[in-house]
Amino acid sequence: MTDVRGFELGYAISILEANGFNVVTCEVRSKKGVPDGADKRVIRVRLDESGKTVFLAYSIFKTSV
């Protein structure tokens, strides 16, 4: 499986689905979140026991000035 940590969420999903995986996503954030954040990045990748489903945890970052 391709390591997609740090990738933009939509791009990571498309890579994994093209390789035949089912993808489940979950947002991880602080209580306040990131004001004006717009960049969703993968921060954790887990594979289920069957090896067919990938669980992606992502967080929203503010990457523009």
Side-chain angles (χ1 to χ4, degrees):
M1 176 176 68
T2 304
D3 185 9
V4 294
R5 287 177 292 174
F7 285 29
E8 190 275 324
L9 181 63
Y11 183 57
I13 291 171
S14 65
I15 289 172
L16 294 169
E17 288 179 340
N19 285 305
F21 293 102
N22 297 319
V23 179
V24 177
T25 63
C26 176
E27 181 180 354
V28 178
R29 65 184 182 106
S30 65
K31 290 181 182 179
K32 292 183 181 180
V34 178
D36 302 326
D39 194 15
K40 295 178 182 177
R41 296 283 175 167
V42 176
I43 60 171
R44 184 176 60 222
V45 179
R46 299 281 191 254
L47 189 61
D48 75 344
E49 293 175 4
S50 69
K52 296 182 181 181
T53 302
V54 177
F55 296 91
L56 299 179
Y58 69 92
S59 193
I60 298 176
F61 294 87
K62 182 177 179 182
T63 55
S64 61
V65 179

